[in-house]
Structure formats: structure tokens, C-alpha cells
Amino acid sequence: MQTIGFHLVKSGYGLWLPGDCRGHWLAAWDEQIGYYEPHQLHGGDPNRERMARERMKHPVTRFTTAMVDATARAMAACVAASPWQVAAAAIESTHMHLLITYTPRDIHAVAKWIVQQTTKAVHGETDFSGPLWCEGKWLTFVFDEEHWENTRQYIERHNLRRGLPAQPWDWITPDAR
């Protein structure tokens, strides 16, 4: 199968911790708990979540309108400087969804670059100075048109629920793909 795109989800700092009842990804050694296999979804664990929360060095990050706007401007610059496009995006107070067209570049490096650029923008354009994003990411490879279209609609519904247009930013390319 050929990859036609990627669905990238990033949560704000402290909003999806190890042990979360929605499940979590973890590849770490903990003296009290032991080793958890990488690339394996683990179920909720209130003790692990409590321990993760106790280790947090900063408060939970929730995006203000100014932070969302700075993130959107940084994304516009990323798209303008890249061979890939964004077919759908939702930037919310707790997380961000991006549907990115295929690129031969390492998508993990692309995701890291997006995180760096959006963090720099938020720190430079707002009073916020703490960590913006959680450590990991949710990244799905999209292989077929049905998956692509379902993901696009899913992301656009996030915007509609917030009272925004389905594609609220001009850097989103509606005919991408």
C-alpha cells in the first residue's frame, strides 16, 4: 500500500498522561512499575496517571485564543516552506489535528519541526512561556481515499463544533490530495 497522507495529533502539555483512561503509549523503565513495551497501547492505570501528574514540572497547558492564533500563523509559515500541504486542521484549547499530504520526508522529523515552530511562535507572540505540547504524538498513516475523507471530515467537525468554518484558515488547501 502507498501512503497518501498522515493524520497528526498533538495534545497540550499534561493533557494525556501515561495511565490516562483513554489508553496511552509508553516506552520507558520505571523503578516502581517496570518496563512497558514500546508501540503498544496500554489501558488506563490510575496509579500510573497519578505518578505522572506528580512528576509534572509545569501546569497543564490549555491554549488561549492568542495561542491558537500564533499556532495557526506558525502553521501557515510551515506549509509555505514545505512540499506538503494541510488538507484539514483543528487547533483547539487542548490539542491539534493536522491532515497532511504525503511527503517523502521523514514524517517524524516534519512533526518535530511543526512542534518546534509552533512553540517558538506561541512563546514569541504571547505571554505564555511554559511547555506547549505533550512529549509524544499520535500519528496515523493514511493509505486509502476512504480513510483520507473520513479523517478530513472528523477534523472539520472539530471546527464546526466550536462554531468555526470547517476550514477556518486560508493556509488549508481544500483540494489537497
Side-chain angles (χ1 to χ4, degrees), residues 41-61:
L41 183 64
H42 299 280
D45 179 344
N47 289 326
R48 179 170 280 285
E49 185 174 20
R50 177 190 49 78
M51 290 168 56
R53 195 161 307 286
E54 289 171 356
R55 283 189 285 245
M56 288 177 54
K57 295 181 170 105
H58 303 276
V60 167
T61 298

Side-chain angles (χ1 to χ4, degrees), residues 111-146:
K112 182 177 180 180
W113 179 63
I114 290 169
V115 166
Q116 291 169 338
Q117 296 306 305
T118 55
T119 300
K120 284 179 191 175
V122 168
H123 287 166
E125 297 176 28
T126 72
D127 293 336
F128 184 79
S129 61
L132 197 62
W133 302 109
C134 66
E135 186 175 316
K137 64 185 174 296
W138 183 271
L139 181 67
T140 304
F141 287 63
V142 180
F143 298 109
D144 62 65
E145 294 297 330
E146 182 180 10

Side-chain angles (χ1 to χ4, degrees), residues 32-100:
Q32 295 176 353
I33 296 174
Y35 180 69
Y36 275 69
E37 292 292 328
H39 312 296
Q40 179 180 335
L41 183 64
H42 299 280
D45 179 344
N47 289 326
R48 179 170 280 285
E49 185 174 20
R50 177 190 49 78
M51 290 168 56
R53 195 161 307 286
E54 289 171 356
R55 283 189 285 245
M56 288 177 54
K57 295 181 170 105
H58 303 276
V60 167
T61 298
R62 293 201 184 272
F63 285 61
T64 63
T65 301
M67 292 165 73
V68 168
D69 292 345
T71 300
R73 283 189 292 277
M75 281 305 310
C78 289
V79 169
S82 300
W84 45 265
Q85 298 175 323
V86 172
I91 306 168
E92 302 196 27
S93 64
T94 58
H95 66 290
M96 170 176 72
H97 288 269
L98 298 173
L99 182 59
I100 301 171

